[in-house]
Amino acid sequence: MGVLRLMLVAGVFVAGYFLLRSAIKQFREGARPAQPPAARNEMVQDPVCKTYVPRGSAVSADIGGQTYLFCSRDCADTFQSQITR
Ligand SMILES: [Zn+2]
């Protein structure tokens, strides 16, 4: 048995291992909710008052096809009036 063939067999095993591992990872991620808790707790900056608010409790507004996050509805309205002026 040549070294090349041994390397080929080893390569197939390694590739199979990584494929299996990524399949298991995808399966586990698929079982989780679309947004992991970490992303919800991520701090986002209000572009109006520069306050940091957790993504989960931020007020989101779609302005000009983009989603912006604010600390309150007041800031969203302020931003909207600034951008549409
Ligand atoms: Zn604000």
Side-chain angles (χ1 to χ4, degrees), residues 4 10 13-15 18-22 26-27 39 42 45 49 55-56 60 67 69 72 79 81 85:
L4 199 70
F13 271 110
V14 169
F18 278 107
L19 274 173
L20 191 72
R21 215 172 65 154
S22 71
Q26 272 183 359
F27 175 76
E42 184 196 340
Q45 194 181 25
C49 65
R55 188 178 281 275
S60 69
T67 304
L69 295 162
S72 64
F79 187 78
S81 66
R85 201 162 12 161

Side-chain angles (χ1 to χ4, degrees), residues 46 48-51 70-72 75:
D46 184 316
V48 177
C49 65
K50 310 295 179 198
T51 302
F70 304 93
C71 69
S72 64
C75 279

Side-chain angles (χ1 to χ4, degrees), residues 28-62:
R28 280 190 187 154
E29 278 171 4
R32 271 195 242 144
Q35 215 178 29
R40 275 204 300 274
N41 295 332
E42 184 196 340
M43 298 304 275
V44 290
Q45 194 181 25
D46 184 316
V48 177
C49 65
K50 310 295 179 198
T51 302
Y52 283 92
V53 284
R55 188 178 281 275
S57 55
V59 174
S60 69
D62 289 306

